[in-house]
Amino acid sequence: MTAQQTVPTTATGSHVLEEGFFASQSFDYGIRITLGATAYGVGDVGTVLATAARITDGDWASWFSAWTDRADQLAALAVQHRQAGDLRGASWAFLAAADAWSRSLDAVDGLPAEQAEAVLLPTFRKGRDCWEAWIDCAGSRYVRVDVPYEDTTLPGYLLRPDASGRARPTLVITNGSDGPITDMWWAGAAEALDRGWNAFVYDGPGQQSMLFERGTTFRPDWEAVLTPVVDALVGRPDVDAAALTASGISQAGYWVPRALAFEHRFVAAVADPGVVDVSTSWVEYLPAEMLQLLDAGRKDDFDRYMAQAGGDPETGRTFAYRARPYGASSPFDLFTEVRRYQLRDVAERIRTPLLITEPEDEQFWPGQSEQLARLLTAPHEVARFGVVDGANWHCQPLGRRLTALRAFEWLEAHLPSR
């Protein structure tokens, strides 16, 4: 596939691809993500489908129970193989268990508030413990790299194809708003290692351990995050500082381009997908009158109307969970903060060649990949994916190998040796 070719997006796919595994879009998307991860050795297709069979459509309690049971089983299997000296088998099971624990956390914003708060941190820690065990099973191939950040550090992991210490091209992956660290494995890290590269993954402010354990929140100026990451990597003998590339998945399709407007040490990057304005997925649900109050800065009136609007309990829980990483104390403050997450003011400052994915059926930021492309003056290309190849929906969850072909074709073409 050449850089100019695109994937057809007009064809009739299978019943499952078009209508889904569950009627609930949230449940359906979660299963797609988990099935897609098996392409890079995370669990098994059959295990995912067997777990899904235990879930009652739309019932978050059954989702949580099914995935925590599966995670317990996989973690026990991992320990068994580690004790037997089979680190390869233990590694597979620990990674699958870490991902299963993370999938169970999809239910947190759908559970009653008291229950959700009680299970959030313990469940997260079980998943992270399995991730850390997976890191240890790799021996010295995978190394922990704490990134100095303001008055603390960001937990980072440099994943290397071997322990030789040879300087290699390195892909720095930034996660989305609520994705677990295991998502970065199937979103580029595994492919990088297969190609003889390093991959660096980390938790940024407001993400996973930084939010759940340290209480840090998101920030729109991600250059304040990605620049310290680059600083921590360029001095390492196992990182080729002249062959650094970047990738951002989901909401990092905003964060990475934002950082690239100020951090110019990457030779190429991927936004999967492009996100020009994060707030559109929030404000699209507001009636015109509420938008007018927001635009006019009428905080008291906005907050009062939001309180009166009420809504069903599940929507309220989802809203509270999604708001948490932004650290806002009121609805007006939240919407005002989220509206700062936009690229229109800085896109022209980006110099790094950028590949932007655009999947058919994008459900969170439709059309924004093309919008970003129109704003750029740097070299760029839009990679389109569709249901005809099973690569539709946000971040192409069932088309990750196909996505990797396009992404690494772009990245490798911009390495200094090419």
Side-chain angles (χ1 to χ4, degrees):
M1 181 182 298
T2 67
Q4 287 72 41
Q5 288 176 317
T6 58
V7 178
T9 57
T10 54
T12 300
S14 72
H15 172 82
V16 168
L17 286 173
E18 292 187 321
E19 299 188 24
F21 298 89
F22 289 100
S24 165
Q25 188 177 91
S26 295
F27 281 45
D28 184 56
Y29 187 58
I31 293 299
R32 288 173 186 254
I33 290 174
T34 315
L35 283 172
T38 65
Y40 284 106
V42 184
D44 266 333
V45 170
T47 303
V48 174
L49 294 177
T51 307
R54 294 187 50 214
I55 296 170
T56 301
D57 199 352
D59 180 357
W60 282 114
S62 73
W63 177 281
F64 183 79
S65 176
W67 282 113
T68 53
D69 287 350
R70 182 65 67 190
D72 273 330
Q73 176 215 353
L74 289 165
L77 184 64
V79 170
Q80 174 187 335
H81 279 261
R82 183 174 61 185
Q83 290 174 342
D86 176 17
L87 293 185
R88 183 179 180 85
S91 176
W92 176 86
F94 274 127
L95 183 59
D99 194 63
W101 284 119
S102 72
R103 288 282 70 84
S104 71
L105 283 179
D106 291 348
V108 166
D109 61 338
L111 297 173
E114 186 173 324
Q115 181 185 0
E117 200 61 33
V119 302
L120 174 59
L121 196 54
T123 304
F124 166 75
R125 285 176 172 161
K126 288 178 181 179
R128 187 53 63 98
D129 286 347
C130 287
W131 169 268
E132 295 288 352
W134 175 73
I135 293 290
D136 290 336
C137 283
S140 54
R141 288 188 298 130
Y142 301 166
V143 293
R144 297 172 178 86
V145 180
D146 289 334
V147 176
Y149 170 74
E150 295 188 339
D151 59 351
T152 184
T153 58
L154 306 175
Y157 305 84
L158 183 63
L159 312 179
R160 308 178 299 178
D162 58 45
S164 67
R166 181 164 67 87
R168 298 175 182 274
T170 300
L171 176 66
V172 177
I173 306 173
T174 299
N175 214 344
S177 62
D178 59 353
I181 201 164
T182 51
D183 280 5
M184 290 186 279
W185 175 252
W186 55 256
E191 184 73 27
L193 269 63
D194 284 349
R195 291 169 181 260
W197 294 29
N198 301 325
F200 185 77
V201 301
Y202 67 100
D203 286 340
Q207 295 177 330
Q208 296 292 289
S209 67
M210 295 299 292
L211 176 67
F212 300 149
E213 297 184 318
R214 305 194 208 178
T216 69
T217 54
F218 292 157
R219 59 189 302 164
D221 54 339
W222 207 256
E223 64 275 11
V225 180
L226 205 51
T227 289
V229 168
V230 175
D231 290 342
L233 293 176
V234 294
R236 294 183 59 92
D238 50 5
V239 172
D240 183 348
L244 279 181
T245 60
S247 177
I249 187 170
S250 193
Q251 189 163 313
Y254 159 77
W255 277 314
V256 166
R258 162 70 200 210
L260 294 178
F262 303 92
E263 171 54 68
H264 302 300
R265 286 177 286 181
F266 292 103
V267 297
V270 176
D272 186 14
V275 182
V276 172
D277 188 339
V278 173
S279 73
T280 59
S281 63
W282 291 78
V283 300
E284 66 177 333
Y285 300 104
L286 293 179
E289 296 82 358
M290 296 293 289
L291 278 174
Q292 291 170 5
L293 293 176
L294 188 61
D295 291 338
R298 293 169 59 182
K299 177 177 178 177
D300 291 343
D301 291 336
F302 185 90
D303 287 345
R304 184 170 60 253
Y305 282 119
M306 285 290 287
Q308 291 173 353
D312 65 277
E314 183 173 348
T315 300
R317 290 193 298 266
T318 300
F319 182 86
Y321 183 74
R322 299 295 178 187
R324 183 175 185 172
Y326 290 94
S329 58
S330 76
F332 178 87
D333 292 339
L334 170 63
F335 279 90
T336 300
E337 173 66 15
V338 175
R339 288 177 118 189
R340 297 176 60 203
Y341 292 61
Q342 55 87 16
L343 296 175
R344 289 181 290 270
D345 299 335
V346 300
E348 65 179 12
R349 301 181 61 169
I350 297 172
R351 303 176 195 167
T352 308
L354 186 62
L355 180 73
I356 310 163
T357 69
E358 185 183 52
E360 189 178 8
D361 303 322
E362 165 65 39
Q363 65 267 43
F364 300 117
W365 294 286
Q368 293 204 21
S369 291
E370 287 285 359
Q371 291 176 34
L372 177 56
R374 289 194 294 269
L375 290 172
L376 293 173
T377 57
H380 61 275
E381 184 177 310
V382 177
R384 297 176 178 84
F385 299 90
V387 69
V388 67
D389 290 309
N392 56 326
W393 284 43
H394 181 64
C395 296
Q396 310 82 239
L398 293 178
R400 293 313 305 178
R401 288 278 186 177
L402 190 61
T403 301
L405 285 178
R406 297 297 306 277
F408 279 85
E409 176 185 50
W410 177 261
L411 297 174
E412 289 177 342
H414 291 88
L415 293 182
S417 61
R418 296 291 297 272

